[in-house]
């Protein structure tokens, strides 16, 4: 069978301009080769910086930013598209090869209707006339399970949800009947419950239209559901390349094995319910403009334990953290900390009350002043809460750096000189510096690669053992809950759905929402998606 | 701006797009109302409910209200400022022959002996009805004289805008298409040179070349009531050219910057990966999203065309508002100064309000609420 896409010995370089140094050429991808046949799916997997998006875009002869494809061949139906001129490339893009971006919300033009954008490429390349294109768009909206397919195209991007936009983006890529689609992390920005729908829709649409696909993701469990072959990438080089079955079930390389076994850790829950640290009773909260975000939420957390709050975006879990810190005063209800009621507002709390509750954010990047060194960042709570200065302060900062397994050579680095995982570690040290009894962790690992995230989770658990600090851990990831929680609160649309010890919350009988949430988490198992979809269909048939 | 839910995010969203990581419930704007609200669960004032139901109308009404309020504040400042000027009309008018008695008489004639608050209210009452009183120097009706002069100024500004706005936007788009290549660089250098030279210098330069050496243009640019339209147009050719050169660069560079900013967005990358041509990407995908900042800079420059033409009018001896006001200031002819100031302020506020409203209308999130 002839190859549809054949990439040979690809080399991609970019010029970087470090401040104060001469520009230097960085090699992003080197020596990558693969073949893709008609109607097949190849999964490209790796952590951020592995070069997977860059490789995906090379199938469209596109270099993002300052990237340039400097070596190798990209043969589409036997013709090297890297040798085409501008108009030749334009006749490939959007006609033979299409692209689905990670964030459909940003990739759709806010100024035009969805329908117009979906059919634009087909019209501009003269593949079909307007009536045909609209008919095809309607068909695709149906296949992808979009609501009201007849009128869906009349809507603007801001008028539909994130999951629907991602499906619309897939429709946009499928519309001109391309031979190849590059999916660049199409479900990463979605909630698990939405992800499974989009995943199923993409899989169904690929099967229906016999299109080949490059599927880029960092989640091995996701790619296992959809691809025929898998290529594992690291630092722009191929680590392992084989069939999905071989890579998942019998990985050859250590790195692949680490990826496969990531998040298999589980911790037994602590059962000691004496000595309640934090108690939240019937809390309601609303934003200034009258939006009610939390309805009658109650939960509690024993000392030295971890309470995980799970839910999808918009469920009010971050808002609850803001209420606990006092950033957003509750409209009703009480929060008790070690038997004493906390003042509702930040202003009403004493410095000592502030010290005892610290917070870690999702984006360590934006939570740190880029113009302060690690020494200043970690030192600030030391001088603020404990009036430490000079040598004593430096000594303590060094201690903290050792505690987060980084060491004193990082003292005078700026946040920009740290990796994502290191930044989050510094944020943890900053919280720890105040010697808090409770740390609120707001999705601290969701912006990190799986292996790095696992390191952070292990660090948090180690610190809990050493200092018996308590955590409220906000996440949308059930695997994390299994790994670290003692008790679990499931939230949905601002209400508490389920609360209790981990073993109880995560075992049947389930309520409908928790059931949906648990079933939506992809498992590292070939055929998982089909199985879940089948049980869903059976359930809906039974109802 | 602490007034309810209409805060920053509404407008900035249009330019920046939505950050995917930001929780939607935090953006708290009409763009994404909670479904529960539609059912009438919302508590709060009538205005708050109105803002949720008709975000667009509410925003426009708010802008209109703010503009009227601002205009009143400005009228107070103009009156206060004129009041605070040293010297007065009576002494300037009488010159050497100013005896205390004569000064007193004139002050009484003009009503200057009344308290300032009373005079302000009388003046404001008249101004609201379009009556700016009579000029102290010429004893003519200020409204009538201004009507004439304002017509001339607007005539000049209109033709300058008619040429400069399309030219600036077109050149801006051209500069983007040839970004960092020769055409872009040429456009940049010429427009920068034009903006760097003072307008009187450009004016005299144009006069020297086109009126004196080549003899193809008319100078001075004085217009009379008896002139036909063609005669008028040929008379204002040089001042219009001067104004166009002065405002062109600013608008052109802003258009270029706004479009370039949009060009680095994800949806332009999507358009590129659809294999669309450069011009279609700029015109269809980038331009509609660059409208808001461009409209703002155009409005500022239009305001400049009306308000800031004093120097150009003087250079070309053109009988417009600017010259009229300068003359009035030298003789302390307060009714004229106040009227001119108020009209200039009104133009400025009106143009900026119009730009604001257009920018709001250009935002699809507000035009098509969920």
């Amino acid at each position: 069978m002839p190859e549809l896409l054949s990439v040979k010995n690809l080399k991609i370089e970019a010029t970087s301009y470090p401040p104060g140094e001469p520009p230097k050429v960085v090699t992003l991808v080197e020596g990558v080769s693969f073949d893709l046949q008609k109607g097949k799916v190849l999964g490209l997997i790796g952590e951020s910086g592995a070069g997977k998006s860059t490789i995906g875009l090379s199938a469209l002869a596109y270099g993002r930013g300052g990237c340039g494809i400097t070596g190798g061949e990209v043969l589409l139906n036997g013709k090297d598209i890297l040798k085409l001129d501008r108009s030749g490339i334009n006749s490939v893009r959007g006609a033979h090869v299409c692209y689905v971006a990670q964030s459909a919300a940003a990739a759709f033009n806010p100024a035009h209707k969805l329908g117009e954008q979906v059919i634009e490429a087909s019209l501009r390349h003269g593949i079909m006339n307007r009536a045909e294109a609209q008919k095809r768009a309607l068909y695709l909206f149906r296949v992808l399970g979009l609501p009201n397919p007849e009128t869906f195209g009349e809507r603007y991007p801001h008028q539909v949800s994130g999951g629907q936009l991602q499906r619309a983006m897939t429709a946009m890529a499928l519309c001109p009947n391309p031979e190849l689609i590059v999916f660049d992390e199409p479900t990463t920005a979605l909630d698990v419950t939405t992800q499974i729908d989009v995943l199923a829709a993409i899989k169904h649409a690929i099967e229906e239209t016999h299109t080949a696909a490059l599927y880029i993701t960092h989640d091995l469990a996701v790619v296992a559901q959809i691809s025929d072959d898998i290529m594992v990438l690291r630092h722009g080089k191929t680590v392992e390349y084989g069939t999905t079955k071989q890579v998942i079930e019998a990985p050859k390389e250590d790195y692949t094995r680490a990826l496969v076994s990531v998040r298999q850790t589980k911790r037994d829950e602590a059962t000691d319910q004496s000595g309640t640290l934090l108690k939240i009773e019937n809390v309601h909260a609303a934003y200034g403009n009258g939006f009610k975000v939390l309805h009658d939420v109650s939960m509690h957390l024993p000392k030295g334990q971890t309470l995980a709050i799970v839910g999808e975006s918009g469920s009010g879990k971050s808002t609850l953290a803001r209420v606990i810190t006092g950033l957003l005063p509750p409209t009703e209800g009480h929060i008790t900390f070690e038997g004493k009621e906390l003042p509702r507002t930040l202003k009403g709390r004493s410095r000592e009350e502030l010290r005892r509750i610290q917070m870690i954010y999702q984006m360590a990047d934006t939570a740190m002043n880029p113009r302060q060194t690690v020494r200043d960042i970690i030192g600030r709570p030391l001088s603020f809460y404990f009036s430490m200065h000079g040598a004593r302060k430096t000594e303590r900062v060094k201690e903290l750096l050792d505690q987060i397994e980084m060491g004193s050579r990082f003292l005078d680095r700026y946040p920009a000189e740290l990796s994502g995982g290191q930044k989050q570690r510094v944020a943890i040290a900053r919280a720890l510096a105040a010697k808090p009894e409770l740390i609120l962790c707001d999705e601290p690992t969701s912006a990190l690669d799986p292996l790095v995230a696992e390191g952070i989770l292990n660090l948090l658990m180690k610190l809990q053992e050493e200092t018996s600090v308590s955590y409220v851990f906000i996440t949308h990831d059930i695997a994390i809950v299994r790994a670290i929680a003692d008790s679990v609160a499931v939230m949905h649309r601002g209400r508490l759905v389920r609360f209790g010890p981990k073993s109880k919350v995560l075992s049947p009988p389930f309520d409908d929402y928790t059931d949906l949430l648990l079933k939506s988490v992809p498992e590292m198992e070939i055929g998982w998606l089909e199985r879940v979809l089948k049980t869903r269909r059976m359930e809906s048939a039974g109802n | 701006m602490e007034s309810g839910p209409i805060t920053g995010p509404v407008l900035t969203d249009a330019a920046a797009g939505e950050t995917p990581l930001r929780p939607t419930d935090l953006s708290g704007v009409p763009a994404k109302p909670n479904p529960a609200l539609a059912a009438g669960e919302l508590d709060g004032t009538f205005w708050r409910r109105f803002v949720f139901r008709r975000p667009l109308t509410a925003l426009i009404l708010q802008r209109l209200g703010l503009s009227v309020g601002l205009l009143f504040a400005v009228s107070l400042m103009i009156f206060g400022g004129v009041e605070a000027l040293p010297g007065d009309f009576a002494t300037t008018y009488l010159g050497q022959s100013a005896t205390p008695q004569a000064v007193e008489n004139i002050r009484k004639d003009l009503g200057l002996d009344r308290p300032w608050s009373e005079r302000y209210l009388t003046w404001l009452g008249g101004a609201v009805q379009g009556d700016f009183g009579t000029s102290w120097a010429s004893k003519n009706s200020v409204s009538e004289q201004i009507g004439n002069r304002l017509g001339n100024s607007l005539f000049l500004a209109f033709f300058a805008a008619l040429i400069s706005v399309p030219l600036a936007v077109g050149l801006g788009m051209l500069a983007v298409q040839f970004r960092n290549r020769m055409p872009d660089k040429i456009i940049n250098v010429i427009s920068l040179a034009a903006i760097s030279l003072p307008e009187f210098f450009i004016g005299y330069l144009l006069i020297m070349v086109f009126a004196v050496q080549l003899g193809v243009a008319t100078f001075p640019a004085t217009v009379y009531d008896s002139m036909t339209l063609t005669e008028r147009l040929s008379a204002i050719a040089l001042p219009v050219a001067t104004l166009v050169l002065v405002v062109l660069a600013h608008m052109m560079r802003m258009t270029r910057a706004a479009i370039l900013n949009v060009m680095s967005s994800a949806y332009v990358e999507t358009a590129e990966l659809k294999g669309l041509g450069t011009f279609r990407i700029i015109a269809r995908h980038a331009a509609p999203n660059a409208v808001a900042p461009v409209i703002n800079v155009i409005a500022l420059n239009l305001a400049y065309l009306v308000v800031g033409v004093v120097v150009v009018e003087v250079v070309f001896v053109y009988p417009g508002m600017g010259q009229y006001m300068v003359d009035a200031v030298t003789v302390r002819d307060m009714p004229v100064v106040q009227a001119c100031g108020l009209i200039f302020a009104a133009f400025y506020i009106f143009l900026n309000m119009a730009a604001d409203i257009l920018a709001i209308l250009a935002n699809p999130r507000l035009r098509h609420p969920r």
Side-chain angles (χ1 to χ4, degrees), chain A residues 62 64 90 93-94 99 106-110 112 117 120 124-125 156 158-160 172 287-289 291, chain B residues 21 25-26 28 34 37 48 52 266-267 269-270 272-276 280 284-285 289 364-365 368-370:
Chain A
Y62 185 80
R64 193 179 268 162
N90 276 351
R93 290 179 187 164
Y99 179 73
F108 270 109
N109 193 327
H112 299 297
Q117 300 190 53
E120 188 180 19
R124 300 306 296 181
H125 292 295
Y156 282 84
H158 69 272
Q159 293 175 311
V160 305
M172 183 155 84
Y287 281 115
N289 51 26
F291 281 135
Chain B
L21 288 159
D25 51 4
L26 278 182
N34 191 324
L37 297 168
R48 191 171 270 182
F52 271 100
Y267 51 82
E269 187 184 274
T270 306
E272 247 178 286
L273 292 176
K274 277 180 181 174
L276 306 180
R280 186 174 169 86
R284 181 159 170 85
H285 287 277
N289 295 294
R365 283 161 212 272
H368 309 277
R370 282 183 154 224

Side-chain angles (χ1 to χ4, degrees), chain B residues 170-191 252-253 256:
Chain B
L171 283 177
M173 286 184 162
L174 206 68
V176 170
Q177 190 166 4
F178 295 98
R179 183 181 0 163
N180 295 336
R181 283 189 277 159
M182 219 13 118
D184 181 24
K185 283 179 183 157
I186 293 174
I187 292 172
N188 257 320
V189 166
I190 292 181
S191 60
M252 192 285 289
R253 294 176 71 81
R256 181 180 179 274

Side-chain angles (χ1 to χ4, degrees), chain A residues 88-115:
Chain A
I89 287 288
N90 276 351
S91 65
V92 170
R93 290 179 187 164
H96 299 281
V97 187
C98 290
Y99 179 73
V100 177
Q102 171 172 1
S103 168
F108 270 109
N109 193 327
H112 299 297
K113 290 177 183 167
L114 288 169

Side-chain angles (χ1 to χ4, degrees), chain B residues 202-216:
Chain B
I202 296 182
Y204 285 131
L205 212 62
L206 289 178
I207 291 169
M208 196 182 81
V209 176
F210 291 100
V212 179
Q213 292 185 345
L214 299 177
V216 290

Side-chain angles (χ1 to χ4, degrees), chain A residues 150-442:
Chain A
E150 291 80 14
T151 53
F152 186 80
E154 290 298 305
R155 315 187 77 178
Y156 282 84
H158 69 272
Q159 293 175 311
V160 305
S161 73
Q164 289 168 9
L165 269 185
Q166 205 67 51
R167 277 180 272 175
M169 182 109 201
T170 308
M172 183 155 84
L174 283 164
C175 189
N177 254 323
E179 296 166 278
L180 172 66
I181 299 185
V182 178
F183 289 96
D184 194 353
E185 308 239 15
T187 62
T188 306
L190 304 175
D191 286 313
V192 271
T193 46
T194 319
Q195 163 171 295
I196 185 168
D197 290 333
V198 175
L199 214 53
I202 289 177
K203 192 175 166 99
H204 180 56
I206 291 176
E207 280 164 6
E208 280 282 298
T209 55
H210 307 292
T211 309
L214 279 179
Y215 197 99
I216 297 162
T217 177
H218 66 268
D219 193 339
L220 200 51
V222 165
V223 87
Q225 310 310 321
I226 217 158
S227 62
D228 301 292
D229 293 322
I230 291 181
M231 174 178 262
V232 182
L233 294 154
R234 194 180 196 194
H235 307 315
K237 294 198 177 92
T238 311
V239 174
E240 189 162 352
Y241 179 32
T243 63
T244 302
K245 196 172 163 59
Q246 179 255 306
V247 172
I248 300 285
E249 289 172 5
K252 287 184 201 135
E253 301 294 321
D254 287 345
Y255 180 69
T256 318
R257 266 196 286 279
L259 280 182
V260 171
S261 63
V262 78
R263 290 199 201 152
Q264 305 261 325
T265 43
K266 263 187 197 177
R267 191 177 78 160
D268 292 333
E269 67 196 35
T271 44
D272 181 18
Q273 291 288 316
S274 60
T276 303
L277 180 73
L278 177 77
K279 197 167 181 185
I280 299 166
E281 287 169 294
N282 309 96
V283 161
H284 294 249
Y287 281 115
N289 51 26
F291 281 135
K292 263 201 115 177
V293 201
L294 292 179
H295 306 264
D296 197 16
V297 175
S298 305
M299 55 186 80
H300 58 88
L301 167 64
K303 249 185 220 173
Q305 297 190 9
T306 302
L307 165 65
I309 304 180
V310 266
E312 41 194 81
S313 53
S315 62
K317 47 194 199 308
S318 293
T319 307
L320 185 60
R322 286 169 61 84
V323 170
I324 297 171
T325 53
L327 287 167
L328 180 72
T331 49
E332 278 173 60
H334 307 279
I335 298 170
T336 329
F337 194 77
E338 275 213 285
K340 217 178 116 214
E341 182 163 348
L342 278 177
R344 292 169 59 242
T345 61
L346 203 59
K347 269 190 189 158
R349 297 189 184 177
S350 67
R351 188 171 287 202
E352 182 61 13
E353 278 165 331
L354 292 177
R355 180 190 67 76
R356 297 168 74 178
I357 303 179
Q358 295 293 317
M359 190 147 178
I360 306 170
Y361 299 87
Q362 177 176 3
M363 306 301 284
D365 263 346
T366 50
M368 284 193 272
N369 189 336
R371 295 195 176 275
Q372 286 185 349
T373 58
V374 168
R375 183 202 298 265
D376 297 330
I377 291 168
I378 303 178
R380 175 64 189 149
L382 294 176
S383 40
F384 183 73
Y385 293 117
F386 306 110
S387 315
M388 278 190 196
H389 295 287
R392 250 183 80 217
K393 183 162 119 181
T394 309
E395 214 35 58
R396 177 76 183 125
V397 172
K398 278 185 189 164
E399 254 176 64
L400 285 162
L401 278 173
D402 285 337
Q403 237 177 333
I404 57 166
E405 298 156 5
M406 278 174 66
S408 52
R409 67 200 162 93
F410 287 95
L411 264 182
D412 293 308
R413 298 260 194 110
Y414 287 94
E417 298 168 302
L418 303 174
S419 72
Q422 287 169 340
K423 274 181 221 166
Q424 200 56 278
R425 278 168 195 261
V426 170
I428 292 172
R430 177 174 62 180
L432 223 52
K435 294 200 173 157
E437 277 136 82
L438 175 66
I439 299 183
L440 304 172
C441 311
D442 191 356

